[in-house]
Amino acid sequence: MQTTQPQNSPPLYDIVILGASGFTGKYVVKEALKFLKTPSSPLKTLAIAGRSREKLLKTLEWAAHPSSPPPHISIITADTTDPPSLESLCRQAKVLLNCVGPFRIHGEPVVAACANSGILEC
Ligand SMILES: NC(=O)c1ccc[n+]([C@@H]2O[C@H](COP(=O)([O-])OP(=O)(O)OC[C@H]3O[C@@H](n4cnc5c(N)ncnc54)[C@H](OP(=O)(O)O)[C@@H]3O)[C@@H](O)[C@H]2O)c1
């Protein structure tokens, strides 16, 4: 499901992990979930993003194991070849953890969307 965020609304998520379904992304999700369930952690809201909702759901199940069902984490569809989807994504995030790859192919549009939105990309 593509969530839409009005232009001037504050971001919904402290962190959005883009490319969460990849080799690197799934380990980033696993680590983020640990912080999410730690009350003293500044990470309070998290979403995962990518081009396949089905793959992202599987990633979430894998990362949350052995917790079942996995925690309710928002899933946002976005594709690096679709700039409006990246702009929408950036409006929802304070920080974007970019795990898409290969970076030399998919990195630049993500960096551009973050720069245009004024959010931090790591
Ligand atoms: N693997 C490592 O050990 C390692 C270590 C350090 C850094 N890195 C870096 O981490 C990045 C990812 O590497 P990886 O090994 O994790 O690659 P990977 O397993 O191939 O994962 C690539 C990710 O990018 C997503 N993606 C590809 N094209 C996309 C598009 N057009 N729009 C949105 N998402 C797209 C893939 O989504 P789908 O699942 O839908 O295909 C997948 O989630 C690279 O920049 C790499 O250099 C990797």
Side-chain angles (χ1 to χ4, degrees):
M1 179 181 69
Q2 179 74 52
T3 54
T4 53
Q5 175 82 343
Q7 294 270 349
N8 296 323
S9 301
L12 290 171
Y13 306 109
D14 293 326
I15 287 179
V16 174
I17 303 168
L18 176 63
S21 56
F23 179 84
T24 307
K26 67 182 186 176
Y27 284 97
V28 174
V29 175
K30 196 176 184 70
E31 290 306 307
L33 290 180
K34 293 177 192 169
F35 284 96
L36 197 61
K37 65 181 184 186
T38 303
S40 59
S41 166
L43 178 60
K44 302 296 180 202
T45 50
L46 173 71
I48 61 175
R51 54 188 175 177
S52 164
R53 181 176 173 80
E54 192 182 23
K55 279 188 175 183
L56 292 166
L57 275 169
K58 285 198 174 121
T59 293
L60 194 52
E61 284 171 4
W62 178 88
H65 183 80
S67 295
S68 185
H72 184 76
I73 302 289
S74 294
I75 292 178
I76 303 169
T77 51
D79 193 308
T80 62
T81 62
D82 177 18
S85 75
L86 295 180
E87 286 156 24
S88 171
L89 185 65
C90 288
R91 281 199 296 277
Q92 300 177 66
K94 292 179 188 166
V95 174
L96 185 77
L97 297 185
N98 182 14
C99 300
V100 297
F103 186 84
R104 69 190 149 76
I105 296 174
H106 302 292
E108 195 168 318
V110 181
V111 173
C114 291
N116 290 338
S117 308
I119 68 164
L120 185 62
E121 189 237 16
C122 305

